[in-house]
Amino acid sequence: MVPDLDCHGSTRKDGPGAFQLFDADKHSTFDRRQLRTKSNSLVTDHLPLTDIDITSSPRDLKASFGFCAPLKAIPVASYYQLHRAPSVIAMAEPAQKSSASVKLPKHQDFHTGEQHTKTPENGIHNKILEHVVRTPDRQPSPQPTHLSVPGANQHRILHEEGPGYVAPKFEGKELQMDQVMDQIEEKGFIPPEFVESETNWFYNELGIDDMYFQTETVDAIVSHILSLYAGKVAAYARDDKRLEIRLDKEAVDHAVYIDTSKPGISVIDGPRYEQRIDEKYVNGSTSTNSYRVETFRSGSQLPGGNDQQLRCYFVYKCHFANPKPGQEETNLDIIGEKRFLQKATKNTRDIYQDIMTIAVIRTGPVIEMFEVEGSREKRLVIAYRQGSAMGMFSALSDLYHYYGVTSSRKYVEQFSNGITIMSIYLRPLPPTATSARHPPIEASIHQIMKEVSLLYCIPQNKLQGHFASGRLSLQETIYAHCVWVFVGHFLNRLGSEYTSLASLLDPNNSVHAEMLSKIKRRLRTETFTSDYILEIINRYPDLVRSLYLNFANTHYVQTRGEQDDFLPTLSYLRLKVDRVLDDDELKSLVSKAVANEHDQMVMTAFRVFNSAVLKTNFYTPTKVALSFRLKPDFLPEVEYPQPLFGMFLVISSEFRGFHLRFRDIARGGIRIVKSRNREAYSINARSLFDENYNLANTQQRKNKDIPEGGSKGVILLDVNHQDKARVAFEKYIDSIMDLLLPPTSPGIKDPIVDLHGQEEILFMGPDENTADLVNWATEHARKRGAPWWKSFFTGKSPKLGGIPHDEYGMTTLSVREYVLGIYRKLNLNPNTVRKLQTGGPDGDLGSNEILLGNEKYTAIVDGAGVLVDPNGLDREELERLAKKRVMISEFDVTKLSPDGFRVLVEESSITLPSGEVINNGMTFRNTFHLRGGKEYDLFVPCGGRPESIDLSTVQKLIVDGKSTIPYIVEGANLFITQDAKLRLEKAGCIVYKDASANKGGVTSSSLEVLASLSFDDKGFVENMCIREDGTVPPFYNAYVKEVQETIKRNAALEFEAIWREHQQTGIARSVLSDTLSVAITKLDEELQNTELWRNVELRNSVLQDALPGLLLEKIGLETILERVPNNYLRAIFGSYLASRFVYEHGSSPSQFAFFDFMSKRMAHLNQQRRPPHALPIGANGSTEA
């Protein structure tokens, strides 16, 4: 199908004077060689100067091509002009030759490096490198410098002419041309006089290399030539006389696109072939299914006087020399594509080899620039991992067009080790009035290089149209995209009603807090959808520009001092016409510019964002995602009563994510949230921050026994990138590390403005969908030179010093301590306790609960279904499944008693021993834990969905005001809502909630972190890392046992405290769990800031008790004090004293209790300090016995 060609049927008779179209039947012996002339003249010079009537189509035209020629008479001279091919000499001419030393063109607004002393009129005061606000004592990043550094005297010159590719010569090209022309004549569409010129134009003037002609069939080439010819005729027939030639052909293993292109102009409408190539061929590239791309621009203009040229794109399916090499393989002969290996010159291969060596060890892109000898042309080479930059190929065109640069040719090469390399030849636009306003290519190339990294993070941002049209710069549109994400999460949409309700409720009451949370979710209406917010932002590009300048003026750093010819990451023109406004001026500007209240709310949020950003990697030359460290005090207290200590916002094309923490020293898992469909994504996006906040808050309460406060990270995959979990995780981690490590490697990690001004360390762990990624994060932190790489992530492999929770039952040990505590207090025999458990033998918590417990299991529910035996499930069979880590679908049903049964989720119409018929196995499984009756004494949820028991369903477990289950220990997080727990306790059930019972894992992780911080690298590997052959260091085994004992001791202390206080006050245990947590964390924070920490003897005494004995014995207190960060030691000090005091004296002690508590400790300290033989001195001076 040929685009842009209307089909008309016609029965018009040929009038007098009309020029008959060539008829193949009548002229089968026509010899085209008769039309060949000498020199450069065309056959049109010998044809009559009459009008050509193309209203009559050849007989087989419609049948052959599916369209008819347009009905319009064209003046013959103009018609022939369409076919006048560009000069071959012009095509071969190199790009704007110049002398070896390039002299920058003069420009009235462009400075070429002279020293400036006065302040620019527009008020831009960008920081010179030495004056950046710095974090104290930060050392240089160990990252190697390997990218082209703007301004450095290390220009790399290419000493070769041509494109760096030489296609193998196609020996049969002349013969093929004859066959093509023969077929064109047979079709009868192109007059025989023009066949030679049209074919010659296609073969020799478009810059198409021999690889295409060797690959394509004669039929395909004929089709392309005819389509282009028809496109030219159709274009001339347009009323506006615009010449638009478009061709696209997509086959199974290759594609060809040809389009009219004006140098330096991004076409926003039209077929958008580059976007199509991205979507169909480049974005989804893998080592087993990928495509390489070649694109060329014709060297001369098309007729019509609009500076138009033809751009040809050729796409080929890759055939690799070795389709499955190792990911670290860099040898191009092994990982290269066969066509690339055939065509690439030695120089090109050397360039790609050097870049490949770097790319395989990088998380982000590798960006290099080369000068082309004897020319102002530059060769930009970019390498990145496949699938990590969707839409990059097309977005690059918008980028260099913005700076008044065009490309002569581009190549996209794929390699079987998963790396993509793009090579782009850039040249300045021809001198025109339009090009005069752009900086010279010698300056703009460095801005393009810097912004490629920005483009890599978000290749297609939400304001791309403003960028492609030149209305806004790339920096301005990506900044606006980031604020769009910010606004969607933090625009206050709850209204005064919520505030009024919140003021009537007690935020410290856990039931009230949970109810407020649910109401908040309901009140977040669709008034401000993401689309509506974007619509508002798109109305105010001028406001975006002013707001961006305010942001840039704070965070941009001049890394090359006065060598920065203009702000490298700002639009050149903006700096001359715009003045940087302060916040008050921006407030006034916004209020005057907006049309209504909604618009004002959205645009005001830009100011909130600007004031909240403490540091960002926005201006770091190489990055993989955009990260912002935010000051969280903009959060409304009525919605978020517990103040956050720190907040990170991370944005990329594949995801958005937060990391929240309630203390400086905090730890928590990182989870990845996936969405089944667009509707689920919309719901997840709206609740993302609130979910993150609540999870971190729960972690804060759970971490009462350890020095770290609560934190959590949540990554929400974009609706179109649900398969990019690993890519998203890697970008999230690396971009946050940009803000934790000192970025001072020129050209890679330049310095940033740090308004926080304090060193930060984050401690992370695995969570949903990230358990298999923590090893990578640990290794990556080590590669980036993070001094805290050993402690960065818990849950890592034992070979990296990790302590696996599941293997050693760390979480289960804490849960079991609460179960055993109930048995102990009530004198119960575990062997007679009938037990229900959700979460089966395949899970961490469920399997270890089976192995550690000795109750009479009567029912287990897991992902496979329901397993029941009122007489007790076979113990040996359950242990077999638990050790094998498989679901109850593998239970040997022959070991069930006559009253036992198993119902799997896929089953239906199952009759139970009681005669009850189960219609749907899935429904039965999902609701089994809510069935009435008194078949169980103990319920331990070890798995299941959050809120599986809530206020609306808890009544099914209460009969005649009494709970049908006497004891519940909530092992699974959030399985029962707080109001449901209180209803169960009121009905007589003994309930211990998740925040108390499920804390063994966090204790294990904390002690794993402590060991990582205490050992040096050598000692850590020697004592904490299991060898490759599986050998376990003796210290590791002993330390794991000490961790297990610590978990049990902490759980027992809290159990006793809750039991005792409940007996004394009658307050529900579920409430006491929260009040104890709040009391401990509050006292902890107060203790860290008291003079007690300054008492060295007391401090050391507390640390001697708090630190694991094995670490003290192996390393020594003095060495630990030297190695472990001071704020972490302070946190250990505070948490140990606070937890021991609250567990002993309760959550509401008397005002003298703490004095008494500390007096005993000081007396004990004095006793230790006194010489063994000394006796106390009495008041009268005598010694006392």
Side-chain angles (χ1 to χ4, degrees):
M1 185 74 182
V2 177
D4 297 334
L5 207 55
D6 294 328
C7 185
H8 303 275
S10 173
T11 57
R12 174 187 161 195
K13 301 289 185 183
D14 295 331
F19 184 86
Q20 275 304 110
L21 285 174
F22 173 68
D23 188 332
D25 292 337
K26 296 180 181 178
H27 301 279
S28 57
T29 59
F30 185 84
D31 186 359
R32 79 177 73 86
R33 286 169 294 187
Q34 297 173 6
L35 297 176
R36 292 179 183 169
T37 58
K38 297 180 181 179
S39 72
N40 288 327
S41 64
L42 294 177
V43 295
T44 53
D45 297 335
H46 307 284
L47 295 179
L49 297 177
T50 58
D51 284 358
I52 299 177
D53 186 352
I54 58 171
T55 57
S56 177
S57 304
R59 289 188 299 274
D60 63 341
L61 185 64
K62 190 169 183 177
S64 300
F65 302 102
F67 59 84
C68 302
L71 301 174
K72 187 165 183 178
I74 305 173
V76 68
S78 300
Y79 179 75
Y80 293 147
Q81 188 180 21
L82 286 173
H83 309 290
R84 191 175 295 276
S87 163
V88 181
I89 299 173
M91 276 287 297
E93 191 173 271
Q96 293 179 263
K97 288 196 174 184
S98 64
S99 61
S101 62
V102 178
K103 185 177 181 181
L104 301 184
K106 294 293 183 183
H107 189 284
Q108 59 180 358
D109 292 331
F110 184 76
H111 304 286
T112 57
E114 293 86 0
Q115 298 296 316
H116 305 291
T117 55
K118 68 174 185 177
T119 301
E121 294 178 2
N122 59 359
I124 295 288
H125 292 275
N126 276 314
K127 279 66 61 183
I128 303 299
L129 182 59
E130 287 73 17
H131 302 146
V132 180
V133 180
R134 290 278 186 83
T135 301
D137 302 324
R138 299 182 86 184
Q139 299 302 314
S141 169
Q143 283 260 354
T145 301
H146 56 251
L147 299 189
S148 302
V149 183
N153 294 320
Q154 53 176 22
H155 295 302
R156 302 172 70 175
I157 310 295
L158 292 182
H159 301 286
E160 79 171 355
E161 296 182 3
Y165 286 80
V166 177
K169 187 176 181 181
F170 179 28
E171 299 295 344
K173 189 172 182 179
E174 289 294 328
L175 177 61
Q176 187 190 64
M177 277 186 70
D178 283 335
Q179 292 172 342
V180 166
M181 288 188 278
D182 288 340
Q183 279 205 25
I184 291 174
E185 289 179 1
E186 291 172 8
K187 298 290 184 182
F189 182 66
I190 300 179
E193 297 89 342
F194 310 145
V195 170
E196 176 100 8
S197 60
E198 288 298 319
T199 305
N200 182 66
W201 176 70
F202 185 81
Y203 265 80
N204 299 319
E205 313 300 340
L206 294 185
I208 303 173
D209 67 21
D210 282 10
M211 181 67 76
Y212 162 82
F213 296 107
Q214 196 164 4
T215 303
E216 292 287 3
T217 63
V218 170
D219 288 342
I221 296 171
V222 169
S223 174
H224 294 168
I225 294 173
L226 289 176
S227 297
L228 288 173
Y229 176 83
K232 289 192 283 186
V233 175
Y236 188 81
R238 293 166 55 125
D239 291 337
D240 58 7
K241 305 300 180 187
R242 283 179 59 194
L243 181 56
E244 289 188 353
I245 299 174
R246 288 169 180 164
L247 163 70
D248 61 274
K249 180 193 174 185
E250 296 171 350
V252 175
D253 60 349
H254 68 282
V256 178
Y257 305 93
I258 299 178
D259 192 14
T260 311
S261 171
K262 190 172 182 178
I265 302 296
S266 291
V267 180
I268 299 175
D269 53 6
R272 297 174 69 83
Y273 288 140
E274 291 196 350
Q275 285 77 8
R276 191 190 300 189
I277 290 170
D278 261 333
E279 292 168 7
K280 289 198 69 170
Y281 301 107
V282 179
N283 287 351
S285 292
T286 65
S287 58
T288 56
N289 183 35
S290 56
Y291 293 81
R292 63 184 301 271
V293 182
E294 299 181 7
T295 169
F296 315 98
R297 177 183 297 281
S298 63
S300 58
Q301 298 177 7
L302 292 172
N306 290 323
D307 300 327
Q308 295 192 112
Q309 299 172 327
L310 281 188
R311 166 73 77 177
C312 304
Y313 302 88
F314 301 96
V315 182
Y316 300 102
K317 187 174 179 63
C318 292
H319 299 283
F320 294 110
N322 181 350
K324 293 184 179 180
Q327 285 194 341
E328 303 301 316
E329 181 60 64
T330 60
N331 188 331
L332 296 188
D333 289 322
I334 296 175
I335 61 178
E337 200 273 338
K338 292 181 179 178
R339 284 190 181 89
F340 166 78
L341 295 175
Q342 281 184 317
K343 296 177 64 173
T345 63
K346 182 182 184 303
N347 196 43
T348 292
R349 288 174 64 124
D350 289 344
I351 290 172
Y352 279 31
Q353 187 66 70
D354 290 344
I355 289 176
M356 179 63 71
T357 304
I358 301 166
V360 295
I361 60 173
R362 295 277 300 175
T363 306
V366 176
I367 306 161
E368 288 276 12
M369 186 270 289
F370 302 87
E371 311 274 359
V372 177
E373 188 176 35
S375 165
R376 292 181 66 195
E377 192 170 65
K378 318 291 179 186
R379 185 177 183 180
L380 187 64
V381 185
I382 304 162
Y384 58 90
R385 295 191 180 277
Q386 290 172 348
S388 66
M390 316 295 265
M392 186 76 159
F393 176 66
S394 55
L396 280 168
S397 298
D398 294 335
L399 174 58
Y400 56 72
H401 288 165
Y402 184 83
Y403 283 101
V405 175
T406 187
S407 66
S408 57
R409 51 200 183 275
K410 299 187 281 190
Y411 302 89
V412 180
E413 301 293 354
Q414 309 288 357
F415 296 88
S416 59
N417 65 345
I419 298 293
T420 297
I421 299 182
M422 294 185 184
S423 188
I424 306 171
Y425 287 79
L426 299 173
R427 59 175 65 170
L429 292 174
T432 62
T434 305
S435 64
R437 61 188 180 88
H438 293 293
I441 191 172
E442 288 74 17
S444 61
I445 187 63
H446 296 302
Q447 323 319 322
I448 293 170
M449 288 175 64
K450 278 194 171 184
E451 292 176 26
V452 165
S453 181
L454 198 59
L455 200 64
Y456 174 84
C457 298
I458 308 176
Q460 301 290 333
N461 69 74
K462 289 294 182 179
L463 288 90
Q464 192 77 14
H466 284 298
F467 172 46
S469 65
R471 185 76 183 270
L472 292 173
S473 68
L474 177 68
Q475 309 86 346
E476 289 160 344
T477 55
I478 290 187
Y479 160 78
H481 176 103
C482 294
V483 181
W484 167 74
V485 173
F486 176 86
V487 173
H489 290 293
F490 299 115
L491 194 63
N492 186 1
R493 312 189 283 277
L494 299 182
S496 58
E497 294 85 357
Y498 177 85
T499 306
S500 300
L501 178 62
S503 65
L504 298 175
L505 299 177
D506 179 8
N508 296 318
N509 185 312
S510 54
V511 178
H512 290 187
E514 187 169 313
M515 185 173 69
L516 272 176
S517 176
K518 292 180 178 178
I519 292 173
K520 181 163 62 174
R521 288 201 297 268
R522 289 290 183 92
L523 287 177
R524 289 199 184 280
T525 62
E526 291 294 313
T527 306
F528 285 91
T529 64
S530 59
D531 289 340
Y532 182 44
I533 294 169
L534 184 61
E535 180 185 327
I536 292 172
I537 295 173
N538 270 310
R539 291 179 198 151
Y540 301 103
D542 293 336
L543 274 183
V544 168
R545 188 181 307 125
S546 297
L547 290 159
Y548 170 72
L549 279 175
N550 176 272
F551 168 83
N553 191 48
T554 301
H555 293 284
Y556 172 70
V557 181
Q558 280 182 279
T559 56
R560 294 187 291 141
E562 295 301 332
Q563 292 183 41
D564 274 346
D565 301 311
F566 57 93
L567 295 184
T569 47
L570 289 177
S571 162
Y572 175 60
L573 293 178
R574 306 289 185 253
L575 298 177
K576 302 307 298 181
V577 299
D578 290 347
R579 184 173 67 86
V580 178
L581 305 179
D582 61 28
D583 189 63
D584 290 337
E585 290 173 312
L586 285 174
K587 181 179 180 181
S588 175
L589 181 65
V590 168
S591 63
K592 292 175 183 176
V594 296
N596 54 54
E597 184 181 357
H598 280 185
D599 292 11
Q600 183 168 5
M601 289 174 68
V602 171
M603 300 312 295
T604 297
F606 278 73
R607 294 175 40 238
V608 175
F609 176 81
N610 285 0
S611 63
V613 177
L614 295 176
K615 51 184 173 179
T616 177
N617 69 348
F618 194 92
Y619 297 104
T620 300
T622 60
K623 50 191 167 289
V624 295
L626 296 172
S627 55
F628 304 89
R629 168 60 161 93
L630 303 176
K631 182 170 56 177
D633 58 4
F634 66 87
L635 294 173
E637 185 178 352
V638 67
E639 291 189 51
Y640 307 100
Q642 298 296 326
L644 286 168
F645 178 87
M647 176 194 304
F648 288 85
L649 169 62
V650 186
I651 301 171
S652 176
S653 58
E654 296 89 359
F655 71 95
R656 63 182 65 176
F658 288 98
H659 186 274
L660 310 178
R661 73 191 199 273
F662 282 91
R663 284 200 203 156
D664 183 14
I665 300 296
R667 72 165 308 281
I670 309 298
R671 67 170 51 181
I672 295 175
V673 177
K674 298 182 177 180
S675 309
R676 297 187 308 276
N677 50 43
R678 193 168 293 276
E679 181 183 1
Y681 173 79
S682 180
I683 294 170
N684 290 335
R686 285 200 302 273
S687 63
L688 175 64
F689 181 80
D690 284 354
E691 177 185 344
N692 198 159
Y693 179 90
N694 292 333
L695 287 169
N697 203 6
T698 301
Q699 194 76 30
Q700 170 81 348
R701 294 196 301 271
K702 192 186 293 187
N703 289 10
K704 63 179 80 69
D705 295 327
I706 62 176
E708 300 97 337
S711 72
K712 208 72 172 182
V714 178
I715 300 168
L716 175 65
L717 294 178
D718 184 80
V719 65
N720 297 316
H721 295 93
Q722 292 299 301
D723 59 337
K724 293 289 191 301
R726 185 178 187 91
V727 169
F729 178 82
E730 291 182 0
K731 289 187 174 185
Y732 175 89
I733 295 298
D734 189 72
S735 59
I736 287 180
M737 289 178 67
D738 285 345
L739 304 185
L740 302 179
L741 292 172
T744 51
S745 290
I748 301 178
K749 301 293 181 185
D750 283 345
I752 60 173
V753 175
D754 186 353
L755 300 180
H756 182 59
Q758 297 177 359
E759 184 178 10
E760 294 187 280
I761 303 176
L762 301 185
F763 301 103
M764 302 178 179
D767 206 315
E768 292 178 12
N769 299 311
T770 60
D772 59 337
L773 301 173
V774 296
N775 285 349
W776 175 88
T778 303
E779 293 284 12
H780 187 64
R782 176 156 59 177
K783 288 178 182 176
R784 286 201 60 174
W788 30 258
W789 69 268
K790 303 187 297 295
S791 59
F792 185 39
F793 257 87
T794 56
K796 52 188 177 287
S797 164
K799 293 180 180 178
L800 292 171
I803 302 176
H805 297 175
D806 56 348
E807 184 175 340
Y808 296 104
M810 298 304 191
T811 306
T812 311
L813 285 171
S814 179
V815 175
R816 287 301 302 170
E817 204 59 39
Y818 283 83
V819 172
L820 295 174
I822 293 173
Y823 296 162
R824 185 173 63 251
K825 292 294 184 182
L826 301 178
N827 294 316
L828 300 176
N829 180 0
N831 296 320
T832 63
V833 173
R834 298 168 300 167
K835 183 176 181 180
L836 163 66
Q837 178 178 310
T838 57
D842 61 314
D844 164 16
L845 192 52
S847 63
N848 283 304
E849 179 67 22
I850 290 171
L851 294 172
L852 294 176
N854 56 347
E855 298 86 1
K856 179 182 177 182
Y857 271 94
T858 53
I860 292 180
V861 182
D862 71 2
V866 178
L867 182 67
V868 177
D869 194 333
N871 300 312
L873 293 165
D874 185 271
R875 184 81 204 170
E876 289 185 6
E877 181 65 4
L878 282 180
E879 290 183 357
R880 182 184 71 83
L881 298 185
K883 291 175 181 177
K884 193 178 176 183
R885 287 290 177 90
V886 293
M887 290 192 283
I888 59 170
S889 54
E890 295 196 23
F891 187 91
D892 183 357
V893 292
T894 63
K895 296 187 178 182
L896 291 173
S897 73
D899 297 327
F901 61 86
R902 184 184 66 187
V903 178
L904 301 179
V905 291
E906 64 269 16
E907 294 179 332
S908 59
S909 301
I910 301 296
T911 303
L912 303 184
S914 64
E916 180 184 358
V917 177
I918 304 302
N919 295 318
N920 185 293
M922 178 70 76
T923 303
F924 183 67
R925 190 280 306 270
N926 291 344
T927 59
F928 183 82
H929 63 282
L930 298 171
R931 289 169 69 88
K934 297 185 178 181
E935 294 87 0
Y936 319 108
D937 303 309
L938 172 68
F939 178 24
V940 182
C942 294
R945 294 169 299 173
E947 302 185 4
S948 290
I949 301 176
D950 59 17
L951 200 58
S952 64
T953 58
V954 72
Q955 287 301 125
K956 296 180 180 181
L957 298 177
I958 299 173
V959 178
D960 299 328
K962 291 289 290 180
S963 171
T964 59
I965 303 177
Y967 324 117
I968 298 177
V969 177
E970 188 182 25
N973 285 322
L974 306 176
F975 189 85
I976 310 173
T977 62
Q978 181 72 358
D979 47 12
K981 291 188 187 87
L982 296 182
R983 184 66 59 89
L984 285 167
E985 291 205 55
K986 189 175 181 180
C989 181
I990 295 176
V991 179
Y992 279 93
K993 68 181 296 182
D994 54 348
S996 293
N998 184 342
K999 65 177 184 178
V1002 300
T1003 303
S1004 173
S1005 296
S1006 178
L1007 293 173
E1008 179 185 326
V1009 167
L1010 181 58
S1012 303
L1013 294 171
S1014 301
F1015 279 110
D1016 59 15
D1017 284 5
K1018 181 182 178 183
F1020 183 75
V1021 171
E1022 182 181 322
N1023 293 285
M1024 288 296 295
C1025 296
I1026 292 179
R1027 311 289 182 259
E1028 288 295 332
D1029 62 1
T1031 304
V1032 181
F1035 179 87
Y1036 183 93
N1037 275 332
Y1039 191 68
V1040 166
K1041 290 177 182 177
E1042 185 166 8
V1043 170
Q1044 291 173 325
E1045 291 304 315
T1046 303
I1047 289 170
K1048 291 193 284 187
R1049 183 168 58 250
N1050 287 344
L1053 284 170
E1054 184 175 0
F1055 173 87
E1056 292 293 342
I1058 293 173
W1059 187 278
R1060 182 183 63 248
E1061 194 151 347
H1062 173 74
Q1063 296 291 93
Q1064 294 172 353
T1065 65
I1067 298 173
R1069 293 177 178 86
S1070 299
V1071 173
L1072 287 173
S1073 175
D1074 290 336
T1075 55
L1076 280 174
S1077 298
V1078 171
I1080 291 172
T1081 53
K1082 185 178 180 182
L1083 180 58
D1084 177 6
E1085 290 166 1
E1086 291 174 354
L1087 287 172
Q1088 291 185 45
N1089 297 312
T1090 64
E1091 291 298 316
L1092 292 175
W1093 172 255
R1094 300 181 186 277
N1095 185 325
V1096 177
E1097 286 187 303
L1098 174 64
R1099 179 204 310 168
N1100 291 349
S1101 172
V1102 171
L1103 292 177
Q1104 283 277 7
D1105 293 342
L1107 295 172
L1110 278 173
L1111 282 181
L1112 291 169
E1113 181 183 328
K1114 188 76 175 179
I1115 303 173
L1117 180 60
E1118 288 188 9
T1119 305
I1120 292 175
L1121 293 177
E1122 291 173 3
R1123 292 175 178 170
V1124 178
N1126 188 64
N1127 52 357
Y1128 195 91
L1129 291 169
R1130 189 187 289 258
I1132 294 174
F1133 175 85
S1135 64
Y1136 182 82
L1137 281 179
S1139 62
R1140 292 320 184 256
F1141 170 73
V1142 172
Y1143 287 153
E1144 183 178 332
H1145 294 276
S1147 57
S1148 302
S1150 69
Q1151 54 185 328
F1152 298 107
F1154 188 73
F1155 175 79
D1156 180 57
F1157 174 79
M1158 289 305 300
S1159 296
K1160 291 179 181 177
R1161 174 164 280 279
M1162 294 303 295
H1164 177 69
L1165 180 61
N1166 290 333
Q1167 185 68 33
Q1168 289 179 323
R1169 188 172 50 197
R1170 185 180 298 122
H1173 60 276
L1175 293 173
I1177 304 297
N1180 58 4
S1182 62
T1183 59
E1184 298 177 358

